[in-house]
Amino acid sequence: MVQAKSWTLKKHFEGFPTDGNFELKTAELPPLNNGEVLLEALFLSVDPYMRVAAKKLKEGDRMMGEQVARVVESKNSAFPKGTIVTALLGWTSHSISDGNGLTKLPAEWPDKLPLSLALGTVGMPGLTAYFGLLDICGLKGGETVMVSAAAGAVGSVVGQIAKLKGCKVVGTAGSDEKVAYLKKLGFDVAFNYKTVKSLEEALRTASPDGYDCYFDNVGGEFSNAVILQMKTFGRIAICGAISQYNRTGPCSQGPPPEVVIYQQLRMEGFIVTRWQGEVREKALTDLMNWVSEGKIQYHEYITEGFEKMPAAFMGMLKGENLGKTIVKA
């Protein structure tokens, strides 16, 4: 019999998560019924959205999340033994599925690309960057793009797509190591927001004419400073607000309404699951090709060991990662 390990939400978060918020449970899985498969997690994702989404869980529920898994036993002809899939199975080592919600890796997946990229640049974060920049911002060649949390899983892809489309890209990050990485990726300007004397001055120096598009991953006072420097008819894609997720007090005040009105700015929040079907498949193909051709670089921050899921999650929220945070089971 297979013993499945699962991380559950022992106690709802209050402020920054701690080890006490999580509990590791073990359960024996039953034999497969016809039409079912047994899955073993290979790689698991931890992402900022989980900090917010966990509010919807009941205490004792399994933590949510996507994983790359291998079919290790099958009674479903659509998913023979050895098939690699992605699925929203949560923080668990093994699971049983009837096949619903399982997505096979594309048949044309290049051998040279790690399977874990299906959780990163050629997966949900990459798709978030792709649609947020090209659809929500409606990016045009020659524009100036500002990206916050630019060395993360989403931001690093945003900046590289913008460069592919012929734009000037400014990115910010929270360490000198990350700034160096952004310059390696081809960002035109990158700076450490924690060490500049004035964020407003640094933004103005980076692009004296202002910004056409802002891809917002952080929210709060940082984003207010950027919004003040948007060009007329500027577009803002609100992807995340990681600076606010662990707050215990009231939300930060938003940008001055008169700036949004008189600069005629458009701000739109979005969730990547909005895009499905053919458009999603095309986006994945584009991302896969760009990575294969070396037009988009990637970096994975890999933690080994399923038992380290909470530590990887908390480290990601602290900004310890460069690129996509992955746990190798």
Side-chain angles (χ1 to χ4, degrees):
M1 303 301 290
V2 174
Q3 298 285 328
K5 297 178 181 178
S6 298
W7 281 104
T8 62
L9 182 70
K10 182 177 181 180
K11 183 180 179 183
H12 278 113
F13 305 128
E14 294 179 14
F16 198 87
T18 68
D19 287 335
N21 291 118
F22 306 96
E23 183 176 10
L24 183 61
K25 294 183 178 179
T26 302
E28 191 173 279
L29 296 181
L32 295 184
N33 295 317
N34 287 331
E36 293 183 332
V37 296
L38 173 64
L39 296 158
E40 177 184 38
L42 301 177
F43 299 97
L44 301 102
S45 180
V46 291
D47 302 280
Y49 80 83
M50 296 173 180
R51 175 61 182 81
V52 179
K55 293 177 182 178
K56 298 179 180 179
L57 297 179
K58 296 176 183 175
E59 292 181 350
D61 284 352
R62 181 192 302 170
M63 284 291 292
M64 76 295 292
E66 191 174 20
Q67 61 176 248
V68 172
R70 178 190 291 120
V71 175
V72 292
E73 185 182 345
S74 177
K75 290 189 176 181
N76 184 326
S77 59
F79 297 95
K81 183 178 178 179
T83 303
I84 304 296
V85 300
T86 58
L88 291 166
L89 298 170
W91 294 13
T92 187
S93 64
H94 295 81
S95 50
I96 291 174
S97 169
D98 63 3
N100 288 321
L102 302 185
T103 302
K104 294 180 183 178
L105 237 56
E108 63 274 20
W109 187 274
D111 290 337
K112 65 180 181 179
L113 295 189
L115 299 176
S116 50
L117 275 196
L119 300 176
T121 305
V122 193
M124 182 273 286
L127 292 170
T128 300
Y130 185 102
F131 290 117
L133 188 63
L134 301 181
D135 282 25
I136 301 297
C137 281
L139 187 70
K140 306 178 188 71
E143 293 188 317
T144 301
V145 180
M146 168 65 203
V147 189
S148 57
V154 174
S156 58
V157 181
V158 171
Q160 293 182 84
I161 294 176
K163 289 304 299 178
L164 283 175
K165 300 299 181 181
C167 294
K168 176 181 177 179
V169 184
V170 177
T172 60
S175 75
D176 292 343
E177 176 196 13
K178 291 180 179 180
V179 168
Y181 175 62
L182 295 180
K183 291 178 179 177
K184 177 186 172 186
L185 294 183
F187 280 64
D188 296 282
V189 183
F191 64 85
N192 184 342
Y193 71 90
K194 293 182 178 178
T195 57
V196 294
K197 292 181 180 178
S198 165
L199 177 59
E200 292 78 6
E201 186 178 318
L203 288 166
R204 195 171 295 110
T205 300
S207 181
D209 296 333
Y211 298 90
D212 298 285
C213 298
Y214 172 38
F215 199 103
D216 183 11
N217 290 307
V218 301
E221 293 302 322
F222 183 99
S223 292
N224 288 348
V226 178
I227 289 168
L228 290 174
Q229 298 192 34
M230 296 297 293
K231 295 181 184 181
T232 304
F233 303 117
R235 291 93 64 202
I236 300 151
I238 304 175
C239 174
I242 196 168
S243 72
Q244 302 296 297
Y245 292 163
N246 296 303
R247 70 178 187 275
T248 52
C251 292
S252 298
Q253 189 171 348
E258 63 271 17
V259 173
V260 178
I261 294 167
Y262 286 101
Q263 290 298 97
Q264 301 183 70
L265 305 180
R266 179 165 62 81
M267 305 170 67
E268 184 175 349
F270 70 100
I271 300 173
V272 71
T273 50
R274 179 192 308 186
W275 293 272
Q276 294 294 335
E278 291 183 3
V279 293
R280 183 180 184 278
E281 293 307 311
K282 180 188 181 301
L284 281 174
T285 299
D286 285 346
L287 290 164
M288 187 166 56
N289 289 339
W290 287 336
V291 172
S292 297
E293 295 163 8
K295 294 178 179 178
I296 285 185
Q297 300 178 56
Y298 64 88
H299 190 281
E300 296 180 303
Y301 188 85
I302 296 179
T303 298
E304 298 223 7
F306 180 76
E307 70 281 359
K308 295 181 180 176
M309 290 290 298
F313 174 64
M314 292 184 282
M316 177 270 305
L317 289 176
K318 291 177 184 175
E320 293 176 357
N321 59 299
L322 181 66
K324 178 73 184 83
T325 302
I326 297 287
V327 174
K328 183 178 181 181

